[in-house]
Amino acid sequence: MKFLIVDDSSTMRRIIKNSLKRIGFEDIIEAGNGREALEIFQEADIILTDWNMPEMDGLEFVKNVRTKNKAVPILMVTTNAAKDDIVEALKNGVNNYIVKPFTPETLKEKVEAVLR
Amino acid sequence: MDQMDQKDIDALFNQGSISEFNKKQDELIKSLAEKEKRDVKKGKVIGQLSRVSEESEAGTNLVMGYLENVLTVISKQQSFIKDITGSYQKNPAASEFLEALSFMGDNMTAIEDLIFSAMDAFQFQDIGRQKLLKVMYTLSKLNQYLNELLGGEESREKTFGHQIEKRTLEKDKDKDRVDTIIDTYKTEDPEPIRPTPPPPPAPTSTAPSIPKTPARPPSSSPGPVVDNADVDSIIREFQERSKGI
């Protein structure tokens, strides 16, 4: 199971990566924004993306992915916590949503939920 | 057996030595100094906020790197304990030793949990960074709005900045003198002042009085008000005085 983590914060990528490794997922690739992620997302079995990023934000990235791949599970991991944001993300093809800050347990639950 | 020898341990902790830590800190400071030069172009406040954000991210990554090294050591130790435990499992004389190993293993797991919790807590850095980005965005919009409202930044600086910084503030030192001049105007005869006609010597009480013109309010009048007819005589007076020095 290969994970793609998309976040412009290297700190956050590292935190997510460590949490995933801890729950047994070792195969992880990374991208710093939506544009970079578009080049490699085909390799991934599941995508975890931030919303607010330079060059191409997470929502735009999700829209792009969905034009090419309807099946790959996508988890949005973001500080945007407004209800409208969550609804908008879901409308555009996000499968589940995590608000930062999050616990490793939450990450585990959400990952398991989208992989079911 | 996934056992660490001294070389492995040294290699892992070498990155955590004080000298290595200082070296990395120096590298970080140098790179931040370079960014500081670059950020000047962004504007002082936004550039500084940008650097705060980058500094905090770089510092967080440095600490996380060390914590990951500690996790690697713990993982190796756990593996070592597991192997040793396996080797002595069937030895009835080693029960106390096995108990001690189990205790050590539990402690290692507890330390590992704490380190993971510490690493998770670094999410504050990203959340803080995003808040700073919002502040920077707002400042940038405010700057844009003020530029539209007041004119270009450069012309504004030329028009007001130098006056405020280099003139008005300096003149504040002479406030008493200014007040005296204002008081003089208030009590002076409203007759117009005329320049002293040439030739020198410099005007004294014996020199002919300068014809006066109506004075403007002191706030907009740095000196006596003259008309073009007076200008030539003032210039001549100045030239004559200069020759005399």
Side-chain angles (χ1 to χ4, degrees):
Chain A
M1 175 74 54
K2 188 177 264 189
F3 279 70
L4 168 60
I5 303 170
V6 192
D7 200 309
D8 59 325
S9 162
S10 55
T11 307
M12 194 49 74
R13 290 201 302 270
R14 209 161 180 167
I15 289 168
I16 296 172
K17 205 163 127 181
N18 281 323
S19 296
L20 288 174
K21 281 185 177 175
R22 206 172 180 207
I23 54 176
F25 299 106
E26 295 277 343
D27 198 1
I28 299 161
I29 50 174
E30 300 174 39
N33 60 58
R35 198 171 302 284
E36 283 177 21
L38 272 181
E39 291 171 17
I40 53 172
F41 88 92
Q42 302 281 19
E43 300 171 36
D45 301 305
I46 173 170
I47 299 168
L48 277 72
T49 182
D50 184 21
W51 189 319
N52 303 306
M53 292 181 287
E55 295 196 43
M56 183 187 283
D57 69 27
L59 195 67
E60 201 58 41
F61 166 64
V62 171
K63 286 177 190 171
N64 271 280
V65 170
R66 287 302 180 222
T67 61
K68 293 162 192 158
N69 188 329
K70 303 262 182 220
V72 63
I74 304 178
L75 255 168
M76 184 75 94
V77 188
T78 174
T79 52
N80 293 7
K83 189 183 170 188
D84 288 350
D85 290 332
I86 299 168
V87 172
E88 193 181 358
L90 294 173
K91 275 182 185 170
N92 282 287
V94 164
N95 298 90
N96 216 318
Y97 200 96
I98 299 175
V99 176
K100 294 176 189 173
F102 57 87
T103 62
E105 290 74 29
T106 306
L107 182 70
K108 186 173 182 279
E109 278 169 27
K110 299 279 185 177
V111 166
E112 285 171 354
V114 294
L115 289 177
R116 252 178 237 139
Chain B
M1 186 187 288
D2 191 13
Q3 191 179 340
M4 292 176 81
D5 58 19
Q6 191 57 47
K7 200 177 161 188
D8 292 334
I9 294 168
D10 287 347
L12 274 166
F13 277 98
N14 188 33
Q15 283 190 306
S17 71
I18 297 295
S19 60
E20 187 67 24
F21 181 79
N22 287 341
K23 196 177 152 197
K24 287 197 173 184
Q25 288 287 82
D26 285 346
E27 283 167 8
L28 188 60
I29 289 164
K30 273 181 197 165
S31 85
L32 291 170
E34 284 301 313
K35 283 173 185 168
E36 186 172 354
K37 283 182 197 166
R38 187 198 66 199
D39 288 343
V40 169
K41 290 174 190 167
K42 284 189 197 171
K44 206 170 184 181
V45 176
I46 293 174
Q48 280 174 348
L49 289 176
S50 172
R51 268 190 295 115
V52 167
S53 169
E54 286 176 9
E55 254 179 77
S56 142
E57 185 167 351
T60 305
N61 272 317
L62 192 63
V63 177
M64 285 181 86
Y66 288 114
L67 291 177
E68 281 169 2
N69 285 343
V70 176
L71 284 175
T72 307
V73 176
I74 288 171
S75 170
K76 299 256 183 187
Q77 286 300 97
Q78 283 171 326
S79 182
F80 176 66
I81 289 167
K82 194 179 168 188
D83 290 340
I84 294 282
T85 304
S87 304
Y88 286 87
Q89 200 71 57
K90 289 176 185 171
N91 187 341
S95 64
E96 280 186 24
F97 176 60
L98 287 170
E99 207 175 302
L101 281 178
S102 168
F103 178 72
M104 282 168 65
D106 290 346
N107 279 347
M108 286 290 166
T109 305
I111 293 168
E112 191 182 45
D113 287 345
L114 287 170
I115 289 170
F116 272 117
S117 298
M119 289 171 86
D120 285 334
F122 280 123
Q123 286 181 65
F124 86 89
Q125 192 278 324
D126 180 51
I127 293 162
R129 185 186 66 96
Q130 294 205 28
K131 284 178 183 166
L132 268 183
L133 283 173
K134 282 178 188 166
V135 172
M136 283 153 68
Y137 177 78
T138 307
L139 282 175
S140 160
K141 284 284 169 197
L142 186 62
N143 179 51
Q144 196 183 329
Y145 171 73
L146 285 174
N147 276 336
E148 282 166 14
L149 191 70
L150 302 174
E153 200 171 323
E154 199 178 321
S155 65
R156 212 168 60 232
E157 170 66 20
K158 276 180 187 164
T159 313
F160 304 110
H162 293 299
Q163 285 180 29
I164 291 165
E165 285 174 24
K166 293 174 184 157
R167 293 180 57 189
T168 312
L169 297 179
E170 259 180 44
K171 291 290 180 191
D172 280 353
K173 291 181 217 158
D174 298 331
K175 189 177 176 299
D176 290 344
R177 196 171 66 85
V178 173
D179 288 344
T180 310
I181 293 167
I182 292 167
D183 288 343
T184 309
Y185 266 79
K186 281 178 185 166
T187 55
E188 249 180 18
D189 189 327
E191 279 293 302
I193 300 165
R194 291 207 171 271
T196 308
T204 61
S205 57
T206 57
S209 66
I210 302 165
K212 292 178 182 175
T213 54
R216 288 183 193 162
S219 58
S220 60
S221 173
V225 176
V226 294
D227 60 25
N228 280 324
D230 298 321
V231 170
D232 288 344
S233 63
I234 293 168
I235 292 170
R236 275 197 299 274
E237 185 187 352
F238 173 76
Q239 285 170 340
E240 290 300 327
R241 283 190 182 189
S242 300
K243 278 179 196 170
I245 294 170

